[in-house]
Amino acid sequence: MKLWGGRFKEEVDYLMNKFNSSLPFDKRLFPHDIKASIAHVTMLCEVGILSNGEKEKIVHGLKEIKKEVDSGDLKIEGDYEDIHSFIELNLIDKIGPVGKKVHTARSRNDQVAVAMKLFAKEETMNLIGRLNNLNDALKIFGDENNIIMAGYTHLQRAQTVTLKYHMMAYYQMFKRDIKRLQNSVDILNESPLGCCALAGTTYDIDRDFTAHNLGFKNKVANFLDGISDRDYIIELISDFSIIMMHLSRLSEEIIMWSSQEFKFITLDDKYSTGSSIMPQKKNPDGAELIRGKTGRVYGSLMSILTTMKALPLAYNKDMQEDKEQFFDALDTVSNCVVIMTSMIKTMKVNEKNLKDSVKMGFLNATEVADYLVNKGISFRDAHEISGNIVLYCEEKNIPIEKLCINEFKNFNPKFEEDIYDFIDYEKSLEKGIKKEILQD
C-alpha cells in the first residue's frame, strides 16, 4: 500500500519493497506524526484551504487512529512503506475520501523532517531528566561518603582528596552534558513543516502558525536546508557519544574499585553476575556493559557522518538511515544512564580501604615541598628535597609523617615541629584549592 504509483506501470519487486520499507523502525514516530498532521490540517483550515467540517473530520479521524493504536486495537504492521503512509491510508479507510486532503500542501519530506524533530526534542528532554537523576544520585552518594582517599594520576597515588570530591568530578561532566543537550535542542528548534519536497508550495499556507502550534521557536529559513538538514541528528549523537565517554570513565573506575586489588566499593548483587565455573566470582557486568556499549554509540556517530558525507541537496533516500542510528544511540545512552544511576544508588563503600589508600603513598610529599617554600626555599629546590625524603622513606618502609624531627632536619634545617600539622592528611584538605572539597 503506497501513496504514489500513478506514473508506474509495474509493481515494485517484493524484496525491494521490504528493502525500502522503514515501518519496522520509524513507527516510533507515530504520535509525533499524528501531532504534526493535526497542526497541519488545522492551519489549512485557518487559511481557507480546508473547510471547518473537513478539518474536524480529519482531526477526529487522526485522534481515533491514535486511540486505537494506543489501546492495541490497531497494530502498526502490514505492507506499508512507512509510518506516514500507515497513518494516511488508515485515515482514508476510516473517514473516506476527505482523508486524502490531509496531505495538501505537504510532502513526505517535510512530514518526516518535522516528526523526527519533534521526536528528537521530546526524547532529548527525557534524557536530560535521566541525567539530572544521575547527578542527584552522585551528589547524595558523595554527601554520604565524604571519606579521605588517594587521588590518582597515571593510576599512581598522587594527592589526597575525598571520595565525594572524586565523584563530584563526574557530576560536573554530566552537568556539561546536560548543557550540550539543551544547546542542541535550542539549535534544532525550528519547524521544517511547509518546506514540502524542497521548494515550498504554491498554496498560501501559514508556516508560522504550524511552527508555534507545534512548540518550535520559529520556522526554518530555507526550504532546501529544512528538508536536507540532519545536523541535529549528528549533533545529538555526538552529545550521546560524549555522555557515553563520561559513563565509560566512571564505569572503569567502578570496575577497578570493586576488584580485590582495590576493594574500595562493593557493587550490589542486582548489577553483578557470577561465573559458571568459579564460585567466588562477582563480576561488575553492569559497569562493563556500559563501557562496552560506548563503542556502539560511537559507531552510530560514524555511521550517520558517513551517510551524510557528500550528499547533494535536497532529500536522498540515504537519509532514511538516520533513524535507526539515532534510535539505537538514544536507547543505548538512556539505558546506560538509568543503569549507572541505580548502581551508584546501591554501591557500598569500604571506608577503611579508602583511608588506607592514603598510607604509604607519600601523598603528602607535595605538602612537604610547599612547607619548605613557605620557609623561603625555591620550589625547585624544595621539590628535590621532598623527593629525597620519599626515597629515604621508601628504603625505611615508613610514611613521611612518621619521620622524627631530626630526620627531617637532616634533609634541611628549616624543618620545625609545625611540619607535622602541615603534612597531616586531614588538615591538608583544608589548604589551598582543597577547601572546595569541604565546602562543596
Side-chain angles (χ1 to χ4, degrees), residues 362-420:
F362 309 114
L363 304 189
N364 47 9
T366 302
E367 277 68 28
V368 172
D370 290 342
Y371 174 89
L372 290 172
V373 169
N374 288 335
K375 297 290 185 177
I377 297 175
S378 70
F379 182 77
R380 279 290 153 242
D381 289 339
H383 187 281
E384 184 174 357
I385 293 168
S386 182
N388 290 332
I389 290 173
V390 170
L391 283 174
Y392 177 82
C393 289
E394 282 182 333
E395 292 171 359
K396 296 287 186 179
N397 196 29
I398 57 173
I400 294 174
E401 62 272 17
K402 293 299 182 181
L403 294 179
C404 69
I405 191 61
N406 287 333
E407 287 175 300
F408 274 115
K409 285 183 176 294
N410 284 338
F411 289 97
N412 192 281
K414 290 189 178 286
F415 282 112
E416 301 292 345
E417 290 289 341
D418 59 350
I419 180 61
Y420 296 107

Side-chain angles (χ1 to χ4, degrees), residues 335-347:
N335 291 335
C336 288
V337 169
V338 170
I339 292 295
M340 179 59 78
T341 302
S342 298
M343 284 198 298
I344 296 296
K345 286 181 176 179
T346 56
M347 278 195 318

Side-chain angles (χ1 to χ4, degrees), residues 236-246 294 297-298 301:
L236 284 170
I237 300 179
S238 177
D239 295 342
F240 300 164
S241 296
I242 297 172
I243 294 168
M244 290 302 299
M245 181 265 289
H246 291 153
T294 301
V297 177
Y298 289 0
L301 177 59

Side-chain angles (χ1 to χ4, degrees), residues 29-34 37 62 65 80 82-93 102 111:
L29 300 179
F30 170 76
H32 306 89
D33 190 86
I34 292 284
S37 293
L62 289 169
I65 291 172
Y80 298 94
D82 52 31
I83 188 59
H84 317 289
S85 58
F86 169 87
I87 293 170
E88 184 170 337
L89 291 168
N90 274 277
L91 178 68
I92 294 168
D93 286 344
V102 71
Q111 184 180 3

Side-chain angles (χ1 to χ4, degrees), residues 249-290:
R249 296 182 73 181
L250 180 53
S251 294
E252 177 69 8
E253 300 215 90
I254 288 172
I255 291 163
M256 289 191 301
W257 288 356
S258 64
S259 70
Q260 295 299 306
E261 284 68 30
F262 279 82
K263 290 187 181 178
F264 284 177
I265 58 103
T266 301
L267 281 175
D268 194 279
D269 288 354
K270 297 185 188 71
Y271 307 102
S272 308
T273 65
S275 165
S276 63
I277 188 173
M278 296 166 285
Q280 82 281 8
K281 295 292 294 298
K282 184 177 181 180
N283 301 324
D285 279 16
E288 289 179 353
L289 281 168
I290 292 172

Side-chain angles (χ1 to χ4, degrees), residues 6-105:
R7 61 93 63 223
F8 289 82
K9 292 182 178 179
E10 297 182 34
E11 287 294 318
V12 174
D13 178 81
Y14 171 76
L15 289 177
M16 175 59 191
N17 199 43
K18 290 187 67 176
F19 187 62
N20 185 52
S21 175
S22 59
L23 184 66
F25 52 86
D26 69 13
K27 62 184 178 182
R28 293 179 69 163
L29 300 179
F30 170 76
H32 306 89
D33 190 86
I34 292 284
K35 181 179 179 180
S37 293
I38 290 173
H40 180 65
V41 296
T42 302
M43 178 274 296
L44 292 177
C45 179
E46 289 291 320
V47 300
I49 296 173
L50 293 181
S51 70
N52 189 63
E54 290 171 326
K55 180 205 79 171
E56 291 296 331
K57 197 168 185 180
I58 293 171
V59 170
H60 178 73
L62 289 169
K63 289 181 177 179
E64 283 295 304
I65 291 172
K66 185 175 187 307
K67 187 185 298 183
E68 290 171 11
V69 169
D70 290 344
S71 68
D73 293 335
L74 177 61
K75 304 293 184 185
I76 302 179
E77 58 188 20
D79 184 25
Y80 298 94
E81 193 170 357
D82 52 31
I83 188 59
H84 317 289
S85 58
F86 169 87
I87 293 170
E88 184 170 337
L89 291 168
N90 274 277
L91 178 68
I92 294 168
D93 286 344
K94 181 175 288 291
I95 67 173
V98 69
K100 296 179 180 180
K101 295 190 175 185
V102 71
H103 209 57
T104 306

